[in-house]
Every structure is written in structure tokens, then in C-alpha cells.
Amino acid sequence: MRMLSAVQIPSLTKATQPLSVQLGPIRLSSPAVLAPMAGYTDSAMRRLCRRFGAGMVFSEMLSGEGTRRNNEKTFKMASFSEEERPVFIQFFATNPQQASDAARVLSQLEPDGLDLNFGCPVKKIILACGGSALLKDVSLLARIVEAAVKATHVPVSVKIRSGWDIRSLNAVPVARAVEEAGAAWVTVHARTRSEFFQGLAHWEWIGEVKSAVSIPVIGNGDVRTASDAVQLLNSTGCDAVMIGRGAMGYPFIFREVNSLLLHGDAGAAPTPMERCECATEQLKCMVERVGESRGVKEFRKHLLAYVRGLQNSARFKNEVVQYLTVNEVTDSMNRYFSSLPDVPTPRPESAFEQAPLYE
Ligand SMILES: Cc1cc2nc3c(=O)[nH]c(=O)nc-3n(C[C@H](O)[C@H](O)[C@H](O)COP(=O)(O)O)c2cc1C
């Protein structure tokens, strides 16, 4: 068995500075940002992605109602470490009063900003008239944004899909309305609610929004590789790209995007041992925050993402999910990763295709 070298997770380096981009009032060290992903983008994942060069990170989506009621669980989910900055806390609200109350409460945590979700396609949220349901009522959506903007001293951004369905594409009027309402920028996931995650994201819809508004636009949807990120930036003129599933178990994608932008080459893919070191660090961060028992349990889905599509991963997965302690999990990871050829191993396409959607 090969010995593990000391963990070599990069720190934020000066090398990323030439990539910096101004997004409204926020200066980013890179135009590649980590998407909000419920059940995934906890503090540990956000920290790792920042260390690998993500320009900024977003929390998982919180409930505006839970927040205004000072729900303890919501607050734990909203907490972040200084290392994550710039970090935006995302929430959804179904009416202006809720948005205003939640924005006021969340601002007390002093995030770099707040992000309002109008893209969530999940039935439970739609039935509560939240998330992408609001794309059907642009006037209410704009009043929600305005209420949040008025209630806080931090910037408020907005994340949308391109419409409810293909017959009601309205990303352009929605983006104009949120610009008018004071949003710092708009992120466009270039799919409709009806499309959920099917088919390919329609990047041309991002370009249409970019041409229609003066606030910055973040493009999102199906960035699987560094070259996808650069293509999305170049083909639409968007100010930044948001990466979700492409970063699950692969924070290296941010290093690759930055390298491609800076040097015209994405650089070497991580070796299996680099993946092992990175996954070990993520586990450590999670356990530090929530304790061993919960940390190990919650880490499993991340670990599965680190090995999805790699050689002999099925046997490893069956084994590792049984372990309950950090030592057992790290021993098992060391055995597995050191059994793989010690060469840079790009992320298999299947890892993106098989990424879990909402929990
Ligand atoms: C597991 C999972 C959870 C998600 N949770 C959220 C969320 O909490 N808030 C949000 O705005 N989008 C959420 N999304 C959508 C992503 O932010 C992103 O818009 C979408 O995955 C498309 O980007 P991608 O192709 O890079 O993954 C989630 C997506 C996934 C796969």
C-alpha cells in the first residue's frame, strides 16, 4: 500500500488574482462559482471548493419562513466559516413580508450577501408557492426581491430558471424586473421548471438575458468540465459561471477552470491519492462541525461522488458505507485509492450523468 503524503489542499493563492471579476459590489477571485445544492453545499464542501479556486460559494437553500421564525436547524445550516467568503446565503420566500423578515434575520450573520431562489422545481416548494412557482407571477416575484433588498444592508442576488415551461419562457422579463427591484445580479439556470434536469441546458437563453440587462449575469447548467465553463463564458458573454453537479466529489474543477482561463490548459487531473487527500480533508471538516457520528454518515454521499465511475468503485462503496468511525472510513479510503494506478485520472463522464438530483 502506498503511504499517504501530508494533505496538500491548496490555499487561496495569488495565482487566481488575474482572474478576478467584479460582480456587482462583490469582487471575485475567479468567475467560476459553486452552486447552491441542498444536501451538498455545506460548510465543508464550500471551504474545499474555495480552496480549489471557486470565486464564491452559496449555501444550501433555506426556508424564509423557518428563518423568520428563528428555527434553530435553519440557523445551523446558515452558519459559515470566514474561509468561505465571499459566501451568499440562499433562501426562498413566498411573499414580501417573509422575504423582508428572513433577510433581516439572515443579515445578522453578516454573510457577503443573500440569494433569493426562484428556480427550485421540487414539488413541496412549488405547492408552497415558492421557488420556480413564482416565475408565473413576475410582479409578486419582483416585490419579494424589493422587500429583501430594502430589509438588508448586504447585496441581494437572484437565481432563476428560464421560465415555467417551454410555452412561457420569461427569463428576460424576470431578469429586467429583478434588476429594477434592486438585485445585484441574476443567475440563470438555463432550463424551465418543466424540464427539471432533462436534456441539455439551453445556454443561448443565458446570452439573451445578458443582452437584456445591465446587472451581471451568472450562467448555469451542465458545466461538466473546465472547457464547458470557458465555452459558456465565451458563447454567452455572461460574467461568471455557476457549477453544481460538476463539483460534487470534484472540487478540482475550479482549479481546472482557473488554469484553463489563465494558461490555456486545464492542467493535470487529480491522481487517486489527491482525491483521497481531498476527500479526507472534507470528512475532517464535516466531523469538526457536526461530530463523528453525524459527520461520517453525512460524508458518505460525498465520498460516493469522489469515486463514481472509477475502477472497482462498486465494491469499495459497499464496504465503506458500513463504517461508522473516521478511522475506519479513512483506512478504507486509503486502501481503495492506493489500489488504483497512480496517474492523473480525469472525472468520468458518467459521474456527472449519475449525480443525484434533489434529495
Ligand atoms: C442535489 C441538488 C441540490 C440542489 N439544491 C439547490 C438549492 O438548494 N438551491 C438552488 O438554487 N439550486 C439547487 N440546485 C440546482 C443547482 O444549483 C443548479 O442550478 C443545477 O444543478 C444546474 O447546474 P449543474 O448542471 O452545474 O448541476 C440543486 C441541484 C442538485 C443536483
Side-chain angles (χ1 to χ4, degrees):
M1 191 176 92
R2 281 196 305 279
M3 293 302 290
L4 259 183
S5 58
V7 173
Q8 289 177 338
I9 307 298
S11 56
L12 296 173
T13 61
K14 290 205 175 78
T16 57
Q17 291 314 309
L19 299 170
S20 72
V21 19
Q22 189 72 33
L23 217 56
I26 306 283
R27 188 100 196 142
L28 308 188
S29 57
S30 158
V33 308
L34 175 66
M37 287 188 289
Y40 283 85
T41 51
D42 58 4
S43 177
M45 179 167 176
R46 298 192 303 253
R47 276 154 77 176
L48 258 286
C49 289
R50 282 285 290 133
R51 289 188 208 175
F52 277 96
M56 72 177 296
V57 294
F58 291 79
S59 75
E60 308 171 65
M61 184 179 80
L62 308 181
S63 148
E65 187 58 25
T67 306
R68 74 197 280 249
R69 288 175 187 273
N70 285 312
N71 177 304
E72 203 185 328
K73 187 173 165 225
T74 311
F75 266 95
K76 280 202 178 126
M77 282 171 72
S79 67
F80 56 87
S81 65
E82 287 300 303
E83 202 192 338
E84 294 168 39
R85 290 187 186 280
V87 54
F88 270 45
I89 301 178
Q90 190 191 60
F91 69 102
F92 78 96
T94 58
N95 64 67
Q97 188 61 52
Q98 200 185 63
S100 165
D101 292 347
R104 199 170 300 116
V105 172
L106 289 172
S107 303
Q108 290 165 17
L109 297 172
E110 293 293 343
D112 295 277
L114 301 175
D115 187 62
L116 271 165
N117 178 308
F118 298 112
C120 182
V122 173
K123 203 166 167 194
K124 192 174 86 180
I125 307 294
I126 300 294
L127 288 175
C129 295
S132 56
L134 283 152
L135 296 173
K136 294 200 272 190
D137 188 342
V138 182
S139 148
L140 176 57
L141 185 156
R143 279 184 284 126
I144 289 174
V145 176
E146 197 178 7
V149 169
K150 282 193 178 143
T152 177
H153 60 285
V154 297
V156 175
S157 58
V158 166
K159 182 164 181 275
I160 63 172
R161 284 187 174 235
S162 303
W164 177 257
D165 60 22
I166 202 78
R167 288 177 303 280
S168 56
L169 290 178
N170 62 354
V172 166
V174 170
R176 285 192 176 130
V178 305
E179 174 172 29
E180 179 84 3
W185 66 75
V186 60
T187 302
V188 182
H189 177 190
R191 283 192 175 86
T192 64
R193 190 272 171 180
S194 301
E195 286 174 310
F196 202 68
F197 278 85
Q198 284 150 5
L200 284 179
H202 313 264
W203 288 355
E204 66 278 13
W205 295 344
I206 296 167
E208 286 168 19
V209 172
K210 178 64 193 163
S211 310
V213 293
S214 306
I215 50 174
V217 174
I218 303 183
N220 171 240
D222 292 349
V223 172
R224 298 152 197 252
T225 61
S227 74
D228 286 344
V230 175
Q231 217 179 314
L232 176 53
L233 283 167
N234 291 342
S235 65
T236 65
C238 66
D239 301 85
V241 291
M242 177 179 273
I243 302 178
R245 289 166 291 167
M248 282 180 182
Y250 203 80
F252 314 100
I253 194 166
F254 295 104
R255 176 175 78 187
E256 293 173 356
V257 174
N258 293 344
S259 173
L260 187 56
L261 285 168
L262 269 179
H263 310 298
D265 179 338
T271 61
M273 290 320 275
E274 233 190 311
R275 283 175 196 252
C276 185
E277 287 158 9
C278 185
T280 305
E281 178 70 5
Q282 192 162 346
L283 171 61
K284 204 180 95 197
C285 290
M286 291 177 77
V287 167
E288 259 168 32
R289 266 182 104 76
V290 298
E292 182 165 35
S293 164
R294 202 174 128 202
V296 165
K297 203 163 147 231
E298 290 182 3
F299 173 66
R300 282 181 198 143
K301 61 189 165 196
H302 295 281
L303 181 54
L304 299 189
Y306 274 97
V307 302
R308 203 168 278 127
L310 297 184
Q311 266 178 40
N312 305 324
S313 59
R315 227 177 81 211
F316 167 66
K317 285 187 218 167
N318 289 337
E319 179 192 307
V320 79
V321 292
Q322 299 168 29
Y323 295 133
L324 302 175
T325 67
V326 171
N327 283 345
E328 287 171 324
V329 174
T330 51
D331 284 351
S332 168
M333 288 197 305
N334 288 342
R335 278 195 302 275
Y336 171 67
F337 282 107
S338 64
S339 73
L340 300 178
D342 184 22
V343 290
T345 313
R347 192 167 194 250
E349 274 276 308
S350 59
F352 187 92
E353 303 303 337
Q354 293 164 16
L357 301 175
Y358 288 89
E359 301 215 307

